[in-house]
Amino acid sequence: MNCAACGFDIQSGFAFCPRCGARQARACSACGYLCPPEFAFCPQCGTSVAPPGNGNGVTPAHAEPVERRQAIVERGSTAASPKQADADRRIVTVLFADLCGFTALGERLDPETLRALQNELFEELNDTVNRYGGYVDKFIGDALLALFGAPVANEGDPERALLAALDMKRRVARIEGLWSHRLRQPLPLHIGVNTGPVVAGTLGAGDSKSYSVTGDTVNTAQRLQAMAGPGDILVGAVTERLTRHAFSFEGLGTLPFRGKAEMTAVYRLEDRIAAALTPRGLEILGLRAPMIGRDTELSAMVRCLELVLDGATQLVRLIGEAGIGKTRLVKEFLASIADDPRFSDVVVRQVACSSLGDPSYGTLASILRCAYGIDPAASLDLSRQLLERGLGSLGLDSEQIERWRPLFLFTMGFGDPEGVLTHLEPDQLRRQIFHATLTIFERRLQKAPLVLVIEDLHWADVASLEILRFVMDRLGRNRLMLLITHRPAFETDILNSAKASLTTIRLVPLGISDSSALLSALLGGSTPANEMRERIVARASGNPFFLEEILRNLMESGALPTDGTNPMAPQGDAAAEIPLTIQALILARFDRLPADARRLAQAAAVIGTSFDIGLLRSLELGQGDLESGINLLCEADILEETADDAALSFARYRFRQKLFHEVIYDNLLVKRRSELHGLVGEALERRTGALAHHIEQTAALGYHFVRSTAKAKGATYLIAAGDLARKAYANEDAVRLYAEALAALDDRTDDRWLIPCERLADLSGQAGRRDTAVAHYNALLDAYRVQGNPASGSRILRKLGRLAFDAGNRDRAQSHFSEAASLLDEADAPIEEAELWHERGHLAFRTGEYALAVEWADKALRCVSACPIDASAAYREELALATANALNLKGIALARMGRNREAIAEVENGVNTALDADLPGPACRATPI
């Protein structure tokens, strides 16, 4: 690492620079945050850190630690420290590293020497994990367990883990060289890396509790580490899939792991790919599409460049959330000006800031490397040679090159190899770098117009931002266009200049038509069914990256073929899965919010994709200032206000993207979800009353209670909502509600499951889903036989007979009817007996036996005439239904026999009976004669 004050190359763990004496930043012992030397307390978790010593070094303002720079991304962001982090579910990349032969080494070395070696190794490994944004879970003997994605997620956590693994090998090899005379044996690491779901939170008992993760993902990572040979880095299939664009692997096939039933795919990490592909886009699958829906924005950027040619410096801010298409728009812009003869002499320099966090002057260093063709991995000698050649091409004389070369080498991370910056104070060094940078920009602009593109400026270091502002202020009337891209929450006031014209272009989500057009263009000749198309477009919510990743997920799961043939339907729930890349992107944003705001978002996610603030407040979660939390979530582009609820006088909000809602909801532990659903259900009950009268209200009560511990209560609400839907002839909604109620009542010792099961079977039969109906009826029949309930068993047999007859199996139908009749001999159930006679009469009518149909109808009427009429309302409704059905059957049978006057009288009686009982269905079924 380099000294923050003078740039001298020092060893990790040094408290002071051996050249200038400046105190160095140190990691917080509680959360790992890299605290500047003047800090007495960690700004992340409040833990006390060692007070500044008496070193005479000065930490310059531009030496901004990586963690602080990353916090710029989200306004008000405070990443959770492990002590503060709530337990949750998340996708994490787990890294296990262990030394080979450490036991044998311990037998030969003195314990004090061994301890010194361990401390040096642990310092290096710990520093490596912190450098790449990971968290050291624990050291176990000579082994390290590190997490990437917990307690805070970052974009590209799997890549970070593999970069850390490679860096660990390099650092341990260096330590091995320093200790070789005492060790007399190699110190190779063997490492296992695996990505997958875990539960993260505090584990242990009493004071020994600490933050950690549990799940099969951790076990598999440990198995990979144990299987790895000396110097090997073995990774799991998910890690390989998420990083294959940036790293090369050797496939080792599927191997058995101890304690695991299935074989596991294993890959050996070889190295980082020099020219890494972008992780986004579908070109790797052979899918390409033109840019869609951004013509206006592209025209605005071209117009700005036209103004540049007239000598007006332009600052163009391209703002949009992750995945919205900023990079694609920049690509199209550069392609368009390359083909336009008006811009033939325009010079383009394009760089991107790293999500790992650029060091001080890192963005400026990237610009220099891009301008002069210097590879980041180039040696000092080669970098010096290329830098001198580039500065010479600008017309600088040898004296100027000699004076400014050390400054630019310093910004590129080489420290002070020529020893000429030793006596400069930090402020002097800063002023000289600023002046040198301004000079090379002026020389460049004298030769040709310049378009400087800096992508992902939200990751830039503060020193580089200050330099860019300095240059813009002094080059206000020059042929310079600075095109920057960044996320919405990033504050760019530091770049605002009175000397340059500012154009802000905010990319909004694509509309439905543009999203559909993008999907069609990507798929080419393969067109998914309308239902799948609509689902993909809806879930992507206008974000091109989300759409592409959902499409990639479907293709990799086999739900969509990649050979141009017609796609098959998604297998299982493949279309509903959230790709890991999207989960990581959303969690990286979510984790940077304060803890109270995260809990507020989780509670809102439990309510649903939209909610009113009154309901959220009624949960009484103790979240402090609710309005401030909501405003923070809106500023982070997670929520947006829709409109006031006129009926309730509450502001309404919704999640800006459906996938935001799903990822935040899935982040909750199942137990916490259940608790929150119960609270929401109780709040809705207080608002609507115990008995809701609308389908939506009743269904909402059922939805929340079945996901709490009060599942039976929720099922009751769902059944009631299904009944309301069925009365409104919304049969598909009724089927869904009954099915949810049946799933909630999975305890078959509780007879409440019988009600939704039968109603689901009834509607399935009406919809032509006979197999489903028969399966449910058979389950009911078995249950009633066990209960010894002949009347209910007879009813089910009657319905099975009706299904059999509708399917053309008359013999099976008669068999069911006969068995039902025999059961009724054991029961006093006149209404059910009447319905059975009506069903048999209906069968006779359908087969042309009209006289027999009249006979069965009369039997049914005699049964109902003997029933009491002062029973419950439900009983009276059943009685009226049976009567109306029998009268209607008799009437139409008489009509077929030519006895029209009698037929009309019977049918009219049936209609009147149904109308008197408010049964419009049976009344409408009366056949006109």
Side-chain angles (χ1 to χ4, degrees), residues 150-202:
V152 176
N154 293 292
E155 293 178 37
D157 276 317
E159 292 180 52
R160 292 167 179 262
L162 297 189
L163 288 171
L166 292 171
D167 198 10
M168 285 177 183
K169 287 180 60 177
R170 288 190 290 268
R171 293 193 184 206
V172 171
R174 182 174 60 81
I175 292 175
E176 179 187 323
L178 295 174
W179 283 70
S180 59
H181 63 288
R182 281 178 285 181
L183 298 180
R184 299 192 303 278
Q185 72 174 59
L187 278 180
L189 281 174
H190 52 140
I191 300 174
V193 184
N194 191 44
T195 303
V198 300
V199 170
T202 54

Side-chain angles (χ1 to χ4, degrees), residues 310-525:
D310 293 333
T313 299
Q314 301 288 314
L315 170 60
V316 181
R317 296 172 57 190
L318 193 57
I319 306 172
E321 64 187 29
I324 204 66
K326 302 184 294 296
T327 298
R328 178 61 188 273
L329 181 55
V330 168
K331 179 180 178 182
E332 293 294 329
F333 167 69
L334 296 180
S336 68
I337 65 175
D339 296 335
D340 193 328
R342 295 177 298 165
F343 309 126
S344 58
D345 61 340
V346 172
V347 174
V348 176
R349 298 286 183 256
Q350 183 179 11
V351 298
C353 303
S354 170
S355 64
L356 294 176
D358 283 336
S360 291
Y361 302 112
T363 304
L364 173 61
S366 297
I367 295 171
L368 293 170
R369 290 191 178 97
C370 174
Y372 306 135
I374 304 173
D375 189 274
S379 65
L380 171 62
D381 290 339
L382 179 58
S383 297
R384 181 189 287 116
Q385 177 185 343
L386 294 173
L387 177 62
E388 290 176 350
R389 182 186 304 169
L391 294 176
S393 69
L394 297 178
L396 298 176
D397 57 38
S398 58
E399 182 181 348
Q400 290 173 311
I401 294 175
E402 190 73 17
R403 185 168 68 251
W404 288 340
R405 182 185 62 229
L407 298 173
F408 292 133
L409 288 175
F410 174 79
T411 64
M412 287 191 285
F414 291 108
D416 183 18
E418 300 175 12
V420 297
L421 307 177
T422 305
H423 303 294
L424 290 178
E425 293 294 329
D427 285 345
Q428 291 178 306
L429 177 63
R430 178 178 181 272
R431 285 195 297 272
Q432 290 195 20
I433 291 173
F434 276 43
H435 178 65
T437 303
L438 177 62
T439 301
I440 63 172
F441 267 92
E442 289 174 334
R443 292 297 182 96
R444 176 71 270 173
L445 291 170
Q446 288 171 6
K447 291 179 170 294
L450 174 64
V451 174
L452 176 58
V453 181
I454 305 178
E455 297 190 71
D456 296 328
L457 195 73
H458 45 270
W459 300 120
D461 63 285
V462 175
S464 294
L465 293 176
E466 291 174 346
I467 284 184
L468 291 172
R469 166 66 182 271
F470 178 79
V471 170
M472 299 292 289
D473 278 345
R474 285 156 178 77
L475 297 177
R477 294 298 300 172
N478 274 277
R479 296 178 298 171
L480 170 63
M481 177 175 176
L482 175 58
L483 172 59
I484 61 175
T485 73
H486 61 82
R487 306 274 174 84
F490 177 59
E491 296 291 350
T492 56
D493 292 346
I494 194 172
L495 284 181
N496 290 346
S497 171
K499 304 294 181 64
S501 298
L502 172 63
T503 300
T504 300
I505 301 174
R506 184 177 292 271
L507 295 186
V508 298
L510 298 177
I512 293 177
S513 59
D514 284 338
S515 295
S516 296
L518 175 60
L519 180 59
S520 297
L522 287 169
L523 290 175

Side-chain angles (χ1 to χ4, degrees), residues 57 105 190 198 341 436 542 548 587 616 692 697 700 712 726 734-735 774 803 847:
L105 189 65
H190 52 140
V198 300
E548 291 175 351
L587 275 181
L616 193 58
Q697 293 176 348
R726 187 172 59 169
V735 166
V774 169
L803 281 178
T847 56

Side-chain angles (χ1 to χ4, degrees), residues 732-793:
E732 286 302 316
D733 287 337
V735 166
R736 174 179 54 81
L737 292 164
Y738 289 142
E740 289 179 14
L742 184 60
L745 297 169
D746 56 356
D747 181 6
R748 289 300 185 258
T749 63
D750 185 341
D751 291 342
R752 281 177 286 194
W753 72 274
L754 300 169
I755 297 172
C757 186
E758 184 167 351
R759 293 176 188 175
L760 184 58
D762 292 344
L763 291 177
S764 297
Q766 293 174 21
R769 296 188 284 268
R770 291 191 179 90
D771 290 344
T772 300
V774 169
H776 287 312
Y777 283 141
N778 283 331
L780 289 163
L781 188 59
D782 291 341
Y784 287 133
R785 283 171 174 162
V786 171
Q787 289 181 2
N789 187 338
S792 296

